[in-house]
């Protein structure tokens, strides 16, 4: 069912403020005459509703009533308020727009609006890209019909029986001639009480079987019959969650039991309020995610075996200091100590001996790199490095074959130390080509923080 209007847009701000509509008249959806109107500040209306002439309002109302009689919509005023959200007093809902900017508007009768016109506030005109004194096409918006919960649940079981559904998976269904998008918002294999007690609980998918309980929650614009919103407990206990807000404004809901080792969060962990406290932490989201992974390992008693990228050691150490998380700080200090303990100077003869015994040690600008275990993962294959790069300065080859500077990030993993000074000079003199100054500058930026001497052998 469609009822089209071609209405000229006028400005709320230009209307006569001496006439308005009574809220009771709007609630009843009746036509209002100027004699019945009472004075109300126009600013109360302009920010929430749009206005039409009472005669145009009657046509809108008749369309709604016909839709209700055919079972396509619900109660005119209740559905109107529902569609527009809190604070919308108008019962008429119109849909219109320009250039792809369609929107749903709450409409009320207003005797100050000319016939065949619609009065919009400056905010409405801006949001919908509508210009004053131009006519646009509008039509009455009829909300979707109501659907019985049991019908939708039965259809879900028929269509997706024994299928694995994942959170955020969108299912397309059909009911009473309408297509519906049903999104999986949550999946759980524990009861609510069990989830509340569990610390290391993650459930993102599950199989739909005959025993699966389906809970449908209506989104805006659709009404489900026999649906009652879940009532909150009358006396909720203390929340068991703390909301951590990263330095880049990402929200992490975390169980308090997991955060007890973080002394900087003690006040939030001990909070007894029913709502989760929110704490801003000076750690960006990706690093905070790794801290939380460590806390999970620590909770399971596996902190000592927790693995992380060695390049992140210093950043994790700083995050641990920020959160006053001693166990992670100690682990980072230990890893840094192990790294530093194996670093030393090597002679060229030692490197050549390692390679002769089946290892793959490279010399890159005087750095000694052990890539033996990583060689099978090399994107360029496992033969090019042993064929071209052993027992020589391979700096030029590294620049030639690695246009992406992402390769620099791996060097700390492989770093064993430095070639002795006298061998560095001899090796560099044997090479016919030299790396570019730009490459050497970037190499220094990526490696000087962990190299023994903090610089490269070539002048920058």
């Amino acid at each position: 069912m469609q009822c089209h209007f071609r209405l000229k847009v006028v400005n709320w701000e230009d209307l006569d403020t001496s006439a308005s509509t009574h809220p009771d008249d709007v609630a009843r959806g009746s036509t209002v005459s100027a004699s019945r109107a009472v004075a109300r500040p126009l600013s109360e209306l302009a920010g929430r509703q749009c206005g039409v002439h009472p005669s145009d309002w009657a046509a809108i109302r008749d369309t709604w009533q016909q839709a209700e009689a055919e079972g396509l919509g619900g109660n005119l005023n209740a559905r109107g308020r529902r569609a527009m959200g809190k604070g919308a007093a108008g019962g008429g809902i119109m849909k219109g727009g320009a250039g792809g900017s369609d929107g749903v508007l709450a409409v009320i009768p207003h005797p100050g609006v000319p016939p065949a016109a619609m009065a919009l506030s400056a905010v409405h005109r801006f949001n919908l890209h509508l210009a004053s004194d131009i006519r646009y096409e509008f039509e009455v918006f009829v909300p979707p019909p109501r659907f019985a919960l049991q019908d939708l649940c039965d259809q879900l079981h028929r269509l997706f029986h024994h299928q694995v559904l994942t959170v955020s998976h969108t299912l397309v269904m059909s009911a009473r001639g309408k297509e519906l998008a049903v999104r999986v918002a949550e999946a759980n294999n524990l009861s609510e009480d069990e989830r509340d007690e569990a610390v290391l609980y993650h459930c993102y998918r599950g199989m739909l079987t005959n025993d699966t309980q389906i809970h449908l929650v209506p989104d805006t614009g659709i009404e489900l019959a026999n649906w009652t919103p879940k009532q909150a407990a009358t006396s909720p206990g203390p929340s068991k969650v703390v909301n951590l807000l990263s330095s880049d404004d990402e929200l992490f809901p975390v169980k308090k039991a997991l955060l007890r080792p973080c002394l900087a969060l003690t006040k939030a962990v001990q909070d007894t309020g029913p709502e989760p406290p929110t704490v801003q932490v000076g750690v960006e989201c990706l690093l905070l995610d790794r801290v939380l992974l460590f806390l999970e390992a620590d909770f399971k008693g596996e902190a000592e075996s927790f693995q992380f990228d060695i390049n992140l050691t210093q950043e994790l150490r700083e995050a641990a200091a920020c959160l006053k998380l001693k166990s992670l700080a100690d682990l980072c200090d230990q890893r840094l100590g192990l790294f530093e303990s194996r670093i030393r100077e090597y002679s060229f003869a030692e490197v050549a001996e390692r390679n002769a015994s089946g290892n793959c040690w490279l010399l890159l600008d005087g750095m000694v790199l052990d890539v033996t275990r990583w060689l099978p993962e090399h994107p360029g294959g496992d033969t090019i490095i042993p064929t071209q790069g052993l027992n020589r300065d391979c700096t030029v080859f590294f620049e030639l074959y690695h246009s992406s500077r992402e390769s620099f990030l791996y060097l700390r993993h492989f770093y064993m130390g430095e070639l002795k000074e006298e061998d560095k000079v001899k090796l560099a003199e044997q090479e016919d080509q030299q790396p570019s100054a730009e490459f050497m500058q970037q190499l220094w930026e990526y490696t000087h923080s962990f190299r023994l001497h903090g610089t490269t052998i070539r002048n920058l």
Side-chain angles (χ1 to χ4, degrees), residues 274-288:
E275 296 297 324
T278 299
V279 181
Q280 177 89 48
V281 294
V283 182
E284 58 91 18
C285 66
L286 293 179
L287 198 60
L288 182 57

Side-chain angles (χ1 to χ4, degrees), residues 308-345:
F308 53 85
D309 189 330
I310 196 171
N311 289 308
L312 294 175
T313 306
Q314 189 58 43
E315 294 178 70
L316 282 172
R317 181 64 177 82
E318 294 170 0
C322 176
L323 297 170
K324 297 183 180 180
L325 179 55
K326 186 176 184 300
S327 53
L328 178 57
D330 290 345
L331 181 61
C332 291
D333 290 341
Q334 179 187 3
R335 297 286 170 85
L336 288 171
L338 290 175
F339 171 78
E340 293 168 358
S341 66
R342 76 164 190 257
I343 304 305
R344 64 180 179 86
E345 287 191 337

Side-chain angles (χ1 to χ4, degrees), residues 189-205:
N189 57 2
L190 296 180
S191 68
E192 186 172 354
D193 290 339
E194 291 172 330
R195 295 197 302 273
D196 196 38
E197 293 297 328
V199 176
L200 305 177
Y201 173 70
H202 305 284
C203 186
Y204 302 109
R205 63 184 63 85

Side-chain angles (χ1 to χ4, degrees), residues 142-186:
V142 178
R146 303 173 70 193
F147 302 98
L149 283 174
Q150 191 58 50
D151 293 344
L152 291 179
C153 290
D154 292 345
Q155 189 176 165
L156 279 167
H157 275 291
R158 288 197 308 272
L159 295 177
F160 305 103
H161 187 63
H162 275 187
Q163 291 191 29
V164 175
L165 302 180
T166 305
V167 172
S168 295
H169 192 163
T170 300
L171 314 173
V172 179
M173 303 170 57
S174 178
R176 298 185 64 178
K178 298 285 185 179
E179 281 197 336
L180 302 178
V182 178
R183 184 176 65 86
V184 181
E186 189 176 340

Side-chain angles (χ1 to χ4, degrees), residues 174-437:
S174 178
R176 298 185 64 178
K178 298 285 185 179
E179 281 197 336
L180 302 178
V182 178
R183 184 176 65 86
V184 181
E186 189 176 340
N188 288 299
N189 57 2
L190 296 180
S191 68
E192 186 172 354
D193 290 339
E194 291 172 330
R195 295 197 302 273
D196 196 38
E197 293 297 328
V199 176
L200 305 177
Y201 173 70
H202 305 284
C203 186
Y204 302 109
R205 63 184 63 85
M207 179 178 290
L208 185 63
T209 68
N210 291 332
D211 298 326
T212 302
Q213 296 182 13
I214 299 175
H215 302 272
L216 292 174
V217 179
D219 202 348
T220 54
I222 182 172
E223 183 175 329
L224 297 176
N226 305 321
W227 176 77
T228 303
K230 183 178 178 180
Q231 299 297 319
T234 54
S235 300
S239 171
K240 298 183 178 181
V241 172
V242 174
N243 289 327
L244 299 184
L245 194 62
S246 68
S247 59
D248 46 354
D249 295 328
E250 290 291 336
L251 190 67
F252 291 77
V254 187
K255 288 293 181 68
K256 289 180 178 178
L258 207 63
L259 296 175
R260 286 195 181 98
C262 301
L263 298 184
L265 303 176
T266 300
K267 183 177 180 180
V269 170
Q270 295 180 350
D271 183 89
T272 58
E275 296 297 324
T278 299
V279 181
Q280 177 89 48
V281 294
V283 182
E284 58 91 18
C285 66
L286 293 179
L287 198 60
L288 182 57
D289 182 67
R290 286 161 175 78
V291 172
L292 295 177
L293 289 175
F294 169 79
L295 286 170
E296 289 190 357
D298 193 24
F299 188 84
K300 293 186 290 185
E302 301 172 357
E304 289 298 322
S305 59
F306 180 72
Q307 298 296 320
F308 53 85
D309 189 330
I310 196 171
N311 289 308
L312 294 175
T313 306
Q314 189 58 43
E315 294 178 70
L316 282 172
R317 181 64 177 82
E318 294 170 0
C322 176
L323 297 170
K324 297 183 180 180
L325 179 55
K326 186 176 184 300
S327 53
L328 178 57
D330 290 345
L331 181 61
C332 291
D333 290 341
Q334 179 187 3
R335 297 286 170 85
L336 288 171
L338 290 175
F339 171 78
E340 293 168 358
S341 66
R342 76 164 190 257
I343 304 305
R344 64 180 179 86
E345 287 191 337
Y346 295 84
S347 67
F348 180 81
E350 286 181 284
V351 174
E353 183 181 351
R354 294 275 186 172
N355 289 333
S357 64
N359 291 305
C360 188
W361 283 34
L362 300 179
L363 299 170
L364 175 63
D365 187 50
M367 289 186 290
V368 179
L369 308 173
D370 181 5
V371 299
T372 307
R373 287 181 296 177
W374 176 77
L375 197 59
E377 309 299 328
H378 183 227
D382 59 0
T383 60
I384 187 171
I385 292 179
T387 302
Q388 299 185 9
L390 297 186
N391 302 330
R392 62 181 301 179
D393 187 336
C394 60
T395 309
V396 172
F397 290 109
F398 193 89
E399 180 181 13
L400 180 64
Y401 292 124
H402 300 90
S403 58
S404 170
R405 296 303 180 250
E406 183 180 354
S407 304
F408 288 157
L409 301 176
Y410 291 91
L411 296 180
R412 183 164 186 162
H413 290 287
F414 308 141
Y415 186 67
M416 301 299 294
E418 296 287 327
L419 193 63
K420 290 186 176 180
E421 192 64 32
E422 58 270 22
D423 289 332
K424 286 182 181 181
V425 177
K426 292 178 182 178
L427 208 62
E429 292 174 348
Q430 295 175 5
E431 299 297 328
D432 296 331
Q433 294 179 294
Q434 297 297 320
S436 67

